[in-house]
């Protein structure tokens, strides 16, 4: 599963010219902890957070309150590509203690991922996720061809046929299902009646 599969697409963003009070209202009204700052071409130029807004409203003695987002935003902002694997994305957010992170595609702002987005995906029951994987795979060969088991977001797929190219496609399809963190597809071992671990197809 990729960042694009769980992100909030076309996120609310502000520009450097946006009044600070407007940015504060957006944070409050939507319950956001941060807003991406983009120029008119959707190039990411910064981020404005709750902390930035509070610091601006209660400036030090020698500092005047800013009037626009340009005056208070953080210019150095961590972002990720829309195709990053969510396992890598989760590690970045945990290691850097980020509550949200902008998502880019071809350098343009296309989404935002928050911790809440991860919770929404991870909270899905494994049985429901497995059913969704099987439904998606049923459009790629008959439903009886595939056996699916999901445990803690890890999807194991057994292919009763032995076509490696198809198993690669099945892995990609499964990883696009909300709730699947990682997928592996195995060829059916006729002799032992189980998935052949020596001939698996998976992605990390």
């Amino acid at each position: 599963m990729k960042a694009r599969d769980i992100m909030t697409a076309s996120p609310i963003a502000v520009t450097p010219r946006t009044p600070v009070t407007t940015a504060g209202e957006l944070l409050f009204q939507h319950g956001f902890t941060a807003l991406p700052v983009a120029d008119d071409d959707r190039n990411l130029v910064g981020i404005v957070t709750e902390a930035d807004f509070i610091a601006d409203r209660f400036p030090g003695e020698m500092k005047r309150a800013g009037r626009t987002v340009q005056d208070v935003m953080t210019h150095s902002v961590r972002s990720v590509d829309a195709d990053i694997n969510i396992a890598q994305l989760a590690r970045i957010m945990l290691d850097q203690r980020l509550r949200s992170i902008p998502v880019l595609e071809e350098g343009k702002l296309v989404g935002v991922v928050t911790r809440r987005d991860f919770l929404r995906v991870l909270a899905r029951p494994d049985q429901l996720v497995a059913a969704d994987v099987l439904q998606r795979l049923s459009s790629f060969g008959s439903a009886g061809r595939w056996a699916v088991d999901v445990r803690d977001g890890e999807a194991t797929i057994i292919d009763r046929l032995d076509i490696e190219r198809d198993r690669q496609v099945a892995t990609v399809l499964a990883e696009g299902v909300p709730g699947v963190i990682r997928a592996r597809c195995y060829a059916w071992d006729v002799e032992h009646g189980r998935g052949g671990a020596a001939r698996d197809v998976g992605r990390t």
Side-chain angles (χ1 to χ4, degrees):
M1 181 175 287
K2 308 296 185 183
R4 67 171 70 254
D5 298 315
I6 68 170
M7 72 183 186
T8 298
S10 302
I12 295 174
V14 293
T15 73
R17 303 185 304 275
T18 301
V20 169
T21 52
T22 300
E25 289 172 3
L26 288 170
L27 287 169
F28 175 75
Q29 291 174 1
H30 297 278
F32 297 152
T33 59
L35 286 170
V37 184
D39 63 19
D40 294 336
D41 294 321
R42 300 296 282 185
N43 296 303
L44 184 68
V45 296
I47 195 165
V48 61
T49 68
E50 294 172 319
D52 294 327
F53 183 77
I54 293 172
D56 178 67
R57 295 299 89 185
F58 298 94
E61 293 182 1
M62 301 301 293
K63 178 179 179 297
R64 297 180 59 185
R67 293 188 174 184
T68 67
V69 167
Q70 173 72 37
D71 300 323
V72 302
M73 72 182 191
T74 300
H75 293 266
S76 178
V77 53
R78 183 66 162 91
S79 62
V80 296
D81 187 82
D83 285 325
I84 189 173
N85 185 284
I86 66 168
Q88 295 174 274
L89 175 56
R91 179 48 54 195
I92 290 171
M93 295 183 70
L94 289 172
D95 289 348
Q96 301 185 24
R97 299 182 179 180
L98 301 174
R99 299 173 70 178
S100 64
I101 191 165
V103 181
L104 308 182
E105 186 170 38
E106 296 182 355
K108 305 295 184 181
L109 177 68
V110 294
V112 169
V113 172
T114 67
R115 293 183 181 182
R116 185 178 297 273
D117 293 322
F118 274 99
L119 288 175
R120 184 180 67 249
V121 171
L122 296 175
R124 299 191 74 211
D126 286 339
Q127 299 93 322
L128 180 59
V129 176
D132 287 350
V133 171
L134 189 58
Q135 182 178 20
R136 180 166 294 192
L137 293 180
S138 67
S139 64
F140 183 64
S142 64
R145 172 180 177 177
W146 311 99
V148 177
D149 180 59
V150 177
R151 298 185 183 182
D152 297 327
E154 299 269 354
T156 301
I157 306 165
I158 305 300
D159 178 11
R160 292 188 171 89
L161 300 182
D162 187 12
I163 305 175
E164 183 176 352
R165 180 183 66 254
D166 288 359
R167 296 200 303 278
Q168 293 172 340
V169 173
T171 300
V172 173
L173 290 175
E175 290 184 342
V177 172
V180 175
I181 298 174
R182 188 177 296 104
R184 299 191 74 84
C185 188
Y186 298 89
W188 184 256
D189 187 332
V190 177
E191 180 180 356
H192 297 96
R194 56 179 173 76
R199 297 154 61 197
D200 67 305
V201 174
R203 305 197 312 166
T204 57

